[in-house]
Amino acid sequence: MEITAGGLLEIRITPADVGKRVSVRRVRSGADEAPSFTDTVGVLTSWDQGVLTITRKSGETVHISESSLVAGKIVPPAPARRRGPAASFEELARVGARAWQPLESEPLGEWTLRAAGGFTRRANSVLPLGDPGAPLDEALARVTSWYAERELPAYVQTATGAAGTQELLGAELERRGWVNEVSAEVRIAALAPIADVDTGAGAREVRLTRAPDEEWLGMYGRVKDPEVARRVLVAGPSVWFATLPGRAIGRLVVDGRWAGFAAVEVDPEHRRAGLGTAVMAVLARQALEEGASAAWLQVEADNTGALALYDGLGFARHHAYHHFRYRAEAASAAGDPR
């Protein structure tokens, strides 16, 4: 924090700094406890009626009373990752979109409305990379009506925690009563070390195909309409499905330098035997043959088993993403003009 020549902490931010990354310190005290200081770092998404709202890189929203501030300053963007490939948020967002393609899409300015019969939020949400070409309330009204016409819930996918992410949009959605239903991390890694992992005999039994069979779909366990699921799953630049019969599955999308891993599932009775690693390694070798050099994946922050697997393979967090859902009752309570 900033310290003046007189040794006092100094507040060097104002409401004009909304949209910038800041670091603030506030004092906290209760009737029966001594005052303590708490630091918060994130994007200042609003400063209204004496309350600051800061969005952390995880997407968590923190509300801070202006009267509790003792120091504050603008801080530079988070430093680039020290391991793994260099990547911008927009590059990864577009790669991720190509890996989970909808059956139907429509532009709204620079936003993309996507629908796929409800199979995966990633293929059934708005990808807002840029300006919607209309005031936000008008754009969101179009979003909700578009999904209602398809009898689908309206979702907007936003991101936090990297240069160019959408903390301000997420805060505006939250202010209008949209609810953040799911948050996850996007992680990246160098590809070659994953392919080089010693997997023992398990990797020799992994079968690669260009389309998921009934066994694969059954192990994935999120399929209500197999035909819709297949159409979404096989779409992408170069898609592969790995099956370790009766034990594990995985999906790979090779897109230029990027290898995207998804749907890595291990039967509960066969976990902690290295089968997920074997599937990942086989898929990584296929991606290397096609010229890829970098790996990415998406994982929910509370999936401890998957996080342990991916940590061991060298994946590092790049940013977080969130799916905000429109709920009419919440929007009404928040004063949404619709």
Side-chain angles (χ1 to χ4, degrees):
M1 308 304 298
E2 294 294 321
I3 301 178
T4 67
L8 298 176
L9 297 168
E10 185 176 9
I11 300 172
R12 292 192 171 185
I13 58 174
T14 73
D17 295 315
V18 168
K20 298 178 181 178
R21 188 167 181 263
V22 301
S23 176
V24 303
R25 175 169 292 179
R26 57 177 160 153
V27 63
R28 303 179 68 176
S29 61
D32 300 321
E33 60 184 32
S36 61
F37 295 104
T38 300
D39 294 336
T40 302
V41 178
V43 175
L44 179 64
T45 50
S46 73
W47 189 329
D48 187 41
Q49 297 183 0
V51 177
L52 290 75
T53 301
I54 294 176
T55 301
R56 299 180 189 270
K57 65 181 181 179
S58 65
E60 176 192 3
T61 299
V62 181
H63 302 287
I64 300 172
S65 170
E66 180 181 324
S67 62
S68 71
L69 286 182
V70 295
K73 66 177 181 178
I74 297 170
V75 294
R81 302 224 64 87
R82 296 187 177 181
R83 60 172 175 155
S88 69
F89 156 67
E90 184 170 346
E91 178 184 8
L92 283 170
R94 295 193 185 281
V95 167
R98 290 192 292 269
W100 292 99
Q101 295 185 18
L103 304 182
E104 178 185 7
S105 65
E106 181 178 314
L108 179 62
E110 295 175 304
W111 291 12
T112 304
L113 283 59
R114 306 174 293 179
F119 177 67
T120 83
R121 289 183 183 86
R122 289 164 288 195
N124 291 272
S125 58
V126 178
L127 184 66
L129 297 181
D131 191 324
L136 183 58
D137 287 326
E138 182 181 329
L140 292 176
R142 174 57 186 148
V143 167
T144 55
S145 65
W146 194 84
Y147 284 98
E149 290 165 7
R150 290 153 182 80
E151 299 183 342
L152 293 171
Y155 284 101
V156 176
Q157 179 180 309
T158 70
T160 58
T165 47
Q166 303 140 321
E167 286 85 354
L168 287 176
L169 176 58
E172 291 297 333
L173 291 170
E174 191 175 68
R175 195 171 295 122
R176 288 162 172 79
W178 290 61
V179 178
N180 182 7
E181 277 198 348
V182 176
S183 293
E185 296 180 359
V186 175
R187 292 190 165 212
I188 60 175
L191 183 63
I194 302 170
D196 288 341
V197 171
D198 182 4
T199 57
R204 291 196 292 271
E205 300 179 52
V206 176
R207 181 176 72 248
L208 291 183
T209 59
R210 283 294 198 175
D213 58 17
E214 294 300 324
E215 180 181 12
W216 195 101
L217 291 172
M219 289 196 67
Y220 189 44
R222 298 173 178 85
V223 177
K224 294 182 179 179
D225 185 329
E227 180 56 31
V228 169
R230 283 193 180 92
R231 290 174 65 191
V232 173
L233 288 165
V234 301
S238 178
V239 186
W240 292 92
F241 297 86
T243 304
L244 190 54
R247 286 166 285 174
I249 60 169
R251 177 176 180 260
L252 168 75
V253 181
V254 184
D255 185 354
R257 73 180 180 120
W258 288 103
F261 296 85
V264 178
E265 303 277 355
V266 178
D267 182 82
E269 294 184 3
H270 295 91
R271 289 175 182 168
R272 298 181 179 82
L275 301 185
T277 300
V279 165
M280 294 278 290
V282 171
L283 291 173
R285 292 163 196 165
Q286 178 62 42
L288 284 175
E289 289 183 9
E290 297 186 29
S293 60
W296 70 273
L297 53 80
Q298 299 161 324
V299 57
E300 293 186 17
D302 60 355
N303 190 339
T304 55
L307 289 171
L309 168 63
Y310 301 142
D311 284 344
L313 293 173
F315 281 90
R317 184 185 186 279
H318 185 276
H319 66 269
Y321 76 93
H322 319 277
H323 281 110
F324 283 86
R325 179 175 180 172
Y326 177 74
R327 293 186 181 276
E329 64 278 9
S332 178
D336 188 324
R338 284 168 294 130

